[in-house]
Amino acid sequence: MTKPLKLPQPFEPLFDYPIRDTSICIGGDGYYYLTGTTGSPDWWAVTGDIQVWKSADMHTWTPVITEPRKRSTVWNVDRDGTWQKETALRDGAPFRPLWAPEIHYLKGTFWITYSIPRLGNGLLRSVSGRAEGPYMDHIATNSPLSPHIDASLFQDDDGTVYFLCDNGKIARMNEDMTALAEELRLLSPSNAEHVGFEGTFLFKAHGRYYLAGAEFIAGDYHCYVASSDHIYGPYGERYLAVPHGGHNTFFQDKSGQWWSTFFGNDSNAPFRERPAALKVEFDEQLRIRPVL
């Protein structure tokens, strides 16, 4: 009988700052870079900052921009945006949050995907090659890259970059990453309509493609994963990979160890809305599970 998955104990945040949807990557300089949704305490209000932190060892984190009034903000909707500035009403209150920025290091520079609910998602490129930017909107049409929520990037072994969003949608990008080169298609596991209803992330390990997504089950926000030998599938059954780990990303550290990010959405998670990372491993069936 398969034992239920558990989180390792003790398990602590990386630092004490309210962040959701934690994303971590390694830059070309060997530092770890972190971003995620900010805007506490009202995550559904009018926000707009993208903040980035860095660390040499994943223990001590510092803002990439140290000017206090900028709060490590590398990009801001009102200062730098165009189509992103439109504000809607939700239940009679102003609504324009910026959700789930992800940071990626590809093609010699940093890229940040993000979403503005009800407007769409976009792609930023650091024109300096540094994580602190400055960042520019990389989409030539001056409009959202897609009308969905959540966004991510995946670069395959041949250098091709794919855009992902929403509940498992994917499309190959053109060579200069200014547009989608094909229509979005939905990647579905064999036992469900989608791997998760949001928070899609794709990575490759052991020669297989691992598709992750976030899903609420009985009120808890989990990370589910399905895998395939081919990027467009077919994908196998989805399974619980990281309990309470919904909307996470996966990355390798400098020694090759795999990690999952974490932020603590659930009331019974080890902590609430703080950035974290936990080691994961692959079992005999090459399924992901936390390292206890």
Side-chain angles (χ1 to χ4, degrees), residues 143-156:
S143 64
L145 185 54
S146 86
H148 307 287
I149 64 166
D150 300 338
S152 185
L153 297 175
F154 167 71
Q155 185 174 35
D156 211 344

Side-chain angles (χ1 to χ4, degrees), residues 30-291:
Y31 277 80
Y32 298 91
Y33 291 89
L34 180 152
T35 191
T37 304
T38 55
S40 178
D42 189 353
W43 307 97
W44 293 77
V46 177
T47 62
D49 282 348
I50 296 178
Q51 301 182 55
V52 177
W53 291 260
K54 67 184 293 187
S55 174
D57 55 10
M58 285 178 58
H59 293 288
T60 302
W61 293 85
T62 57
V64 296
I65 295 178
T66 57
E67 189 176 339
R69 67 182 181 86
K70 291 188 176 180
R71 299 178 302 166
S72 193
T73 298
V74 300
W75 192 85
N76 173 270
V77 169
D78 295 303
R79 183 189 69 201
D80 307 306
T82 53
W83 61 266
Q84 305 92 338
K85 293 182 179 182
E86 180 183 336
T87 300
L89 290 178
R90 182 179 182 272
D91 297 329
F95 176 83
R96 196 208 60 200
L98 189 155
W99 284 350
E102 279 189 12
I103 188 164
H104 299 264
Y105 186 78
L106 305 172
K107 299 178 181 288
T109 192
F110 288 90
W111 306 76
I112 295 177
T113 57
Y114 63 95
S115 66
I116 309 288
R118 299 187 180 178
L119 295 180
N121 40 42
L123 176 63
L124 304 173
R125 176 177 62 87
S126 171
V127 298
S128 69
R130 300 187 301 271
E132 57 266 37
Y135 285 85
M136 64 172 290
D137 193 330
H138 197 63
I139 308 306
T141 56
N142 195 29
S143 64
L145 185 54
S146 86
H148 307 287
I149 64 166
D150 300 338
S152 185
L153 297 175
F154 167 71
Q155 185 174 35
D156 211 344
D157 298 335
D158 63 359
T160 304
V161 177
Y162 296 81
F163 172 80
L164 296 105
C165 62
D166 207 35
N167 61 346
K169 295 179 177 67
I170 187 172
R172 177 174 51 86
M173 301 197 75
N174 62 9
E175 189 171 347
D176 62 5
M177 296 175 60
T178 56
L180 303 183
E182 59 185 2
E183 295 294 321
L184 288 163
R185 67 182 79 184
L186 178 64
L187 304 179
S188 297
S190 61
N191 61 341
E193 179 184 357
H194 50 236
V195 68
F197 80 98
E198 64 181 8
T200 298
F201 185 81
L202 183 69
F203 71 100
K204 196 172 185 179
H206 303 287
R208 292 182 63 78
Y209 297 91
Y210 287 83
L211 179 70
E215 190 76 83
F216 279 106
I217 301 293
D220 289 330
Y221 196 48
H222 298 306
C223 166
Y224 281 81
V225 168
S227 65
S228 174
D229 290 326
H230 306 282
I231 190 165
Y232 291 137
Y235 281 80
E237 294 186 354
R238 79 169 189 173
Y239 59 90
L240 176 60
V242 183
H244 311 289
H247 208 143
N248 57 319
T249 65
F250 293 90
F251 67 98
Q252 279 182 292
D253 66 19
K254 287 179 279 189
S255 67
Q257 169 66 52
W258 280 100
W259 295 75
S260 167
T261 63
F262 193 91
F263 73 88
N265 179 82
D266 303 337
S267 59
N268 56 349
F271 45 82
R272 292 276 287 170
E273 297 174 339
R274 294 297 185 271
L278 66 136
K279 290 181 180 180
V280 296
E281 61 187 358
F282 298 82
D283 66 14
E284 295 84 356
Q285 289 76 43
L286 293 181
R287 289 190 168 195
I288 298 168
R289 57 187 302 116
V291 174

